[in-house]
Amino acid sequence: MDKTLLERMDNHMVLSILNEKLRLECDSLTALLSRYELDSGWLMARMSQIGYRYDPNSNQFKPGA
């Protein structure tokens, strides 16, 4: 997963990819950020733009405040 490709994608496509990676490859947001060398602030801002937040209990991004 290349950040430069993610930066050019629609936020909903990024959401889909992130949740798939969390479901299949990474057991936490920290693991995802580390494995793919993603910036937490950038990622949270992108998800916030479409009204999603990370839920650690389900290990996925979900709609929320």
Side-chain angles (χ1 to χ4, degrees), residues 2 10-11 14 16 22-23 36 41 45 54 56 58-59 61:
D2 183 350
D10 174 80
N11 286 344
V14 174
S16 178
L22 287 166
R23 185 176 64 253
Y36 293 104
Y54 178 71
S58 63
N59 192 35
F61 284 91

Side-chain angles (χ1 to χ4, degrees), residues 17-49:
I17 291 168
L18 293 174
N19 277 341
E20 178 182 25
K21 298 294 184 186
L22 287 166
R23 185 176 64 253
L24 300 175
E25 299 176 12
C26 301
D27 62 358
S28 69
L29 179 59
T30 302
L32 177 84
L33 294 170
S34 176
R35 182 173 187 166
Y36 293 104
E37 299 178 352
L38 299 173
D39 178 70
S40 175
W42 172 84
L43 184 62
M44 295 307 183
R46 288 288 299 262
M47 295 300 94
S48 179
Q49 289 174 357

Side-chain angles (χ1 to χ4, degrees), residues 1-9 36 38 42 46:
M1 184 167 59
D2 183 350
K3 183 180 175 188
T4 55
L5 292 175
L6 289 178
E7 289 173 342
R8 292 183 282 167
M9 289 182 179
Y36 293 104
L38 299 173
W42 172 84
R46 288 288 299 262

